[in-house]
Amino acid sequence: MGKAEPFTYDGGIVSPGETRNIRYTVSETYLGDAVRMPVTIVNGKRPGPTVFLTAAAHGDELNGIEVVREVAHEWDHEGLAGTLICLPVLNVPAFLAQERYLPIYDRDLNRSFPGDPDSTSAKRMAHKIFRNFLAPCDVGLDFHTSTRGRTNMLHVRADMDDPAVARVANAFSSNVIISSEGPSGSLRRELSDSGVPTITIEMGEAHRFQRPLIDSALESVRSVLAEFGLRDSDTVRWPGWRTVIDDSGEKTWIRADSGGLVDMHYDRGDLVYEDDVICTIANPFKTENTLMRAPFTGLLVGILENPLVYPGNPLCHLVRLDDRTQRAIEWNRRTDDDDW
């Protein structure tokens, strides 16, 4: 086995056995002041892979921030074999404004990778982040939440046709994996295409910490680090059941057929059966009701949180299950009910 190597970036070096908290300049304000991104680099004493954890590429998505902070600052890294690059707030300007996109021309940082040092503000920022802290890694975990007004169950998005990416996704031990390449310019797609297998983790809703989701994600991070040999004390987890959804029509957004106020009858992560009434849309007088039914038996990966809709607004994200997965979910639910 070789020796542990230092981790280098523009302006610094972190030696084996060292942990360093830095504020790395990624841009400037209108006044010429530095926009600095927090980074924690934990370089283990023993050699091993380099893994990054990122959150808040969209500035209002907060759950992942707490996951990354706890990994960086509350875990014992004494026996770490490898290096952790922890970036809890990628999009600092949007985070400070508590907005999804960069306040500068409303650009999406997560459509700007791998970046360009001579292009827009978003692409310049993405270039610095990508080149210094992401591209040198071997594995990537990118944490997100649903957008404002909606919420997601914890699930993974990954290109399962890429064996290296599939290994990361399976190790994360979520029940649901939605398989796709990802949009052009997104962090996970551009890194995976460049040889750094990366997955997106979706969990909960914007503008809040949701402790059960954070705790579940932390257990899955332990599973990934165990899979790649960074932590001897942890083991790879099996989630009990799993379904992998591809782009062949096994998922759908159910959209409102009328405007009004929504009464949602199920929660994220619930199993619904074909023709179940997922929600009811009513006018202010409750004299006209629209029943929105499940077109097939499946799992509610994401649902509406804001109960006000126009016709065509998304209500829930439903994914189809095969018979075996459906039986596994039903068995697990019965077991949980019996324990309770």
Side-chain angles (χ1 to χ4, degrees):
M1 182 179 293
K3 292 175 56 180
E5 298 290 336
F7 183 88
T8 60
Y9 58 93
D10 284 353
I13 183 170
V14 183
S15 300
E18 181 183 6
T19 295
R20 182 171 297 181
N21 298 319
I22 63 174
R23 293 182 182 270
Y24 191 81
T25 298
V26 292
S27 189
E28 295 179 358
T29 69
Y30 291 128
L31 297 176
D33 297 323
V35 175
R36 300 189 300 168
M37 178 185 68
V39 185
T40 297
I41 301 170
V42 183
N43 197 349
K45 296 177 183 177
R46 299 188 292 149
T50 300
V51 177
F52 75 75
L53 296 86
T54 53
H58 298 129
D60 59 356
E61 299 182 358
L62 307 184
N63 275 326
I65 295 175
E66 189 60 14
V67 174
V68 179
R69 288 200 312 161
E70 291 195 24
V71 171
H73 304 296
E74 295 188 19
W75 287 12
D76 181 1
H77 298 299
E78 181 62 29
L80 185 70
T83 304
L84 295 176
I85 311 299
C86 299
L87 302 103
V89 181
L90 280 188
N91 194 337
V92 173
F95 173 78
L96 293 175
Q98 271 304 276
E99 297 177 359
R100 180 176 175 83
Y101 301 127
L102 282 159
I104 312 159
Y105 304 119
D106 208 32
R107 294 187 185 275
D108 188 347
L109 182 63
N110 202 35
R111 297 295 182 272
S112 302
F113 293 100
D116 184 335
D118 301 312
S119 185
T120 64
S121 55
K123 288 191 174 182
R124 291 177 187 227
M125 187 181 301
H127 172 74
K128 286 190 173 184
I129 297 169
F130 193 94
R131 181 169 59 87
N132 281 284
F133 301 110
L134 307 181
C137 295
D138 300 297
V139 174
L141 306 177
D142 184 31
F143 291 89
H144 288 259
T145 76
S146 188
T147 190
R148 184 179 304 181
R150 300 203 295 268
T151 185
N152 284 330
M153 69 177 292
L154 191 149
H155 69 278
V156 163
R157 298 184 183 182
D159 183 2
M160 297 299 282
D161 291 331
D162 182 330
V165 175
R167 181 185 177 193
V168 184
N170 287 326
F172 193 80
S173 72
S174 68
N175 294 121
V176 175
I177 300 172
I178 296 179
S179 179
S180 69
E181 285 185 319
S184 177
S186 64
L187 185 152
R188 75 169 170 97
R189 176 168 176 173
E190 300 302 331
L191 278 162
S192 295
D193 286 350
S194 70
V196 182
T198 300
I199 64 171
T200 293
I201 300 97
E202 293 280 351
M203 47 187 294
E205 60 190 285
H207 291 293
R208 65 193 66 237
F209 284 163
Q210 295 168 286
R211 193 71 238 178
L213 292 172
I214 292 167
D215 288 342
S216 182
L218 285 166
E219 288 303 309
S220 291
V221 172
R222 291 183 185 276
S223 179
V224 172
L225 299 188
E227 168 69 21
F228 289 91
L230 282 85
R231 290 173 60 90
D232 295 337
S233 58
D234 294 326
T235 57
V236 181
R237 294 175 66 235
W238 167 245
W241 61 269
R242 171 175 288 145
T243 185
V244 178
I245 308 299
D246 61 27
D247 280 332
S248 62
E250 294 177 301
K251 61 183 186 295
T252 186
W253 276 101
I254 297 175
R255 296 182 177 273
D257 288 337
S258 61
L261 291 85
V262 179
D263 183 12
M264 188 69 65
H265 304 313
Y266 293 90
D267 203 352
R268 65 169 188 258
D270 280 349
L271 174 67
V272 296
Y273 296 90
E274 183 176 354
D275 208 39
D276 279 354
V277 177
I278 296 175
C279 64
T280 304
I281 305 173
N283 66 14
F285 309 105
K286 292 196 171 184
T287 56
E288 296 180 11
N289 296 321
T290 302
L291 305 181
M292 302 301 301
R293 298 181 181 274
F296 52 79
T297 297
L299 196 69
L300 290 173
V301 172
I303 64 168
L304 185 77
E305 286 284 285
N306 182 343
L308 310 180
V309 295
Y310 283 115
N313 283 170
L315 297 169
C316 60
H317 191 190
L318 181 68
V319 299
R320 190 188 297 273
L321 303 173
D322 59 37
D323 291 341
R324 181 179 179 183
T325 303
Q326 181 181 326
R327 289 195 300 270
I329 295 173
E330 290 168 338
W331 186 87
N332 274 276
R333 298 289 162 84
R334 285 197 301 271
T335 303
D336 290 344
D337 291 341
D338 291 344
D339 289 344
W340 179 258

